[in-house]
């Protein structure tokens, strides 16, 4: 089965610009998660979708970040306008069920650099 | 509150020698514990998981971990390191109670010398 894919793999943008990251989860996985790792820090939770609904968005840093999952398939994470501190690696993960017993399957990440 | 502490940011071993990557956790509820590995330009890959069954968990590529509730530890071990084990390793805690939460450790980078 195909894994979680993310696009683009790298993005370099200037402060103030807009960037949209995309995540395609494993087919059939209702749960989709976004995480971020800022350089030198831990991977931090951003939000969790169950199908097209936001189950938990408590980790979203501020209202410059907008995540969508229309139709319950792929998801996008838009940053508008981007700031320097948004630089980092953005990971997407998916899982079949919402349960602590089930592992999440991760994509390779999108490395975002804001200059 | 949940927390995960990986006690070493970097570990260096020689090929063929044992590997020990340390992880301590704090959780108010019965957690599930995972170890993931990330090789360069790859996604995080699951090595093994503990979900309240056997306390000694065997994973892929010869890795194993032991859940010790009294010590709140979940250290990752491997008897003999291989060059291909060089990567970054993450200890992860999840719990259902009080909402679904996932907490990552800061990661341990493993170097393997020939």
């Amino acid at each position: 089965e195909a894994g979680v894919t993310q696009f683009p793999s790298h993005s370099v943008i200037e402060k103030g610009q807009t960037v949209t990251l995309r995540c395609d989860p494993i087919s059939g996985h209702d749960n989709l998660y976004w995480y971020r790792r800022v350089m030198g820090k831990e991977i931090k939770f951003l939000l969790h979708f169950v199908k097209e609904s936001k189950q938990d968005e408590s980790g979203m840093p501020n209202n410059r970040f907008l995540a969508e999952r229309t139709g319950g398939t792929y998801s996008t994470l838009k940053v508008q306008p981007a700031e320097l501190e948004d630089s980092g690696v953005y990971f997407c993960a998916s899982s079949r069920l919402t349960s602590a017993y089930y592992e999440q399957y991760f994509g390779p990440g999108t490395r975002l650099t804001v200059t | 509150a949940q927390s995960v502490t990986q006690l070493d940011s970097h570990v260096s071993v020689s090929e063929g020698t044992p590997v020990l990557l340390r992880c301590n956790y704090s959780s108010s509820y019965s957690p599930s514990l995972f170890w993931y590995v990330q090789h360069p330009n790859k996604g995080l890959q699951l090595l093994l998981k503990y979900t309240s069954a056997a306390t000694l968990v065997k994973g892929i590529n010869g890795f194993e971990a032991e859940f010790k509730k009294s010590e709140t530890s979940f250290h990752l071990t491997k008897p003999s390191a291989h060059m291909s084990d060089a990567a970054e390793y993450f200890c992860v805690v999840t719990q259902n109670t009080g909402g679904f939460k996932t907490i990552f450790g800061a990661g341990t980078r493993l170097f393997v010398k020939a």
Side-chain angles (χ1 to χ4, degrees):
Chain A
E1 91 190 328
V4 177
T5 58
Q6 293 186 244
F7 182 83
S9 57
H10 295 83
S11 180
V12 181
I13 61 172
E14 293 183 353
K15 177 182 172 181
Q17 290 185 321
T18 297
V19 64
T20 300
L21 314 181
R22 174 171 169 145
C23 168
D24 287 79
I26 292 172
S27 177
H29 282 196
D30 288 340
N31 293 270
L32 188 150
Y33 313 83
W34 283 99
Y35 297 90
R36 177 175 73 171
R37 189 182 196 189
V38 173
M39 186 178 294
K41 304 278 186 156
E42 295 92 344
I43 298 173
K44 295 282 193 183
F45 167 81
L46 294 178
L47 87 159
H48 171 202
F49 283 99
V50 178
K51 297 185 180 179
E52 66 275 9
S53 299
K54 291 176 185 175
Q55 182 80 4
D56 181 355
E57 53 183 330
S58 61
M60 295 288 264
N62 50 60
N63 59 10
R64 294 185 295 103
F65 289 76
L66 176 64
E68 294 180 322
R69 192 182 183 195
T70 307
T73 54
Y74 71 91
S75 174
T76 58
L77 179 64
K78 183 163 71 173
V79 185
Q80 179 182 30
E83 297 289 346
L84 297 178
E85 64 264 25
D86 300 332
S87 295
V89 180
Y90 290 76
F91 292 100
C92 175
S94 71
S95 68
R96 193 164 55 87
L97 296 173
T98 306
S99 169
Y101 301 113
Y102 289 90
E103 65 266 30
Q104 297 171 38
Y105 295 83
F106 285 82
T110 293
R111 182 173 297 277
L112 174 65
T113 303
V114 183
T115 63
Chain B
Q2 281 178 294
S3 68
V4 181
T5 302
Q6 291 185 243
L7 295 159
D8 306 293
S9 59
H10 298 84
V11 170
S12 183
V13 301
S14 296
E15 191 174 23
T17 64
V19 175
L20 170 63
L21 306 183
R22 298 181 293 167
C23 173
N24 285 98
Y25 71 93
S26 171
S27 177
S28 303
Y29 306 98
S30 298
S32 293
L33 296 154
F34 303 80
W35 276 99
Y36 284 86
V37 61
Q38 186 184 23
H39 289 93
N41 301 315
K42 300 284 188 182
L44 280 73
Q45 178 187 18
L46 179 70
L47 280 177
L48 48 80
K49 66 178 180 180
Y50 166 78
T51 57
S52 76
T55 56
L56 181 62
V57 181
K58 294 188 183 298
I60 62 171
N61 300 334
F63 284 95
E64 63 180 39
E66 186 171 7
F67 174 71
K68 291 186 176 180
K69 188 174 182 178
S70 61
E71 299 176 10
T72 61
S73 70
F74 190 56
H75 301 334
L76 181 70
T77 61
K78 182 173 180 177
S80 176
H82 191 272
M83 295 297 288
S84 62
D85 294 328
E88 190 164 19
Y89 292 78
F90 296 92
C91 182
V92 180
V93 172
T94 64
Q95 66 179 46
N96 278 330
T97 312
F100 180 77
K101 298 293 181 188
T102 302
I103 304 294
F104 282 78
T108 298
R109 192 168 292 278
L110 176 65
F111 298 93
V112 182
K113 299 174 288 186

